[in-house]
Amino acid sequence: MTSAAASAPFVPFSGPFAIGALSAAGETRFPGLVAPDGRALDLRTALDEPALTTLALLERWDEERSTPPSSKSWTRTPGTRTSTT
């Protein structure tokens, strides 16, 4: 994971969570759910779909939000970065 200084700046968001493409240094991007306290959830693992993309998740958003992921899958990821591409 990269240091906080090398990471993209954290931008507070309104609401209980944010969704986006996240990554760690040297790792591929993954669809993630981020809580206001900085915890991130890899949705590929939480939804048991290793090939899941952020776009695929958003395309079926109404279906997914009716089944919240387990809280056991959450991890604190200080070096995780968000991506806008």
Side-chain angles (χ1 to χ4, degrees):
M1 302 241 176
T2 60
S3 69
S7 298
F10 180 75
V11 178
F13 49 89
S14 61
F17 62 88
I19 293 214
L22 308 176
S23 67
E27 301 289 327
T28 59
R29 286 186 295 184
F30 61 91
L33 183 70
V34 182
D37 65 2
R39 293 180 300 149
L41 179 65
D42 183 337
L43 293 171
R44 298 172 302 181
T45 303
L47 299 173
D48 196 26
E49 292 187 47
L52 183 66
T53 65
T54 305
L55 178 59
L57 177 70
L58 294 174
E59 288 176 336
R60 61 182 209 218
W61 180 254
D62 288 335
E63 172 191 330
E64 294 298 338
R65 68 185 176 144
S66 65
T67 311
S70 165
S71 62
K72 293 180 183 177
S73 301
W74 288 89
T75 57
R76 194 155 304 274
T77 52
T80 301
R81 298 182 62 166
T82 59
S83 173
T84 58
T85 58

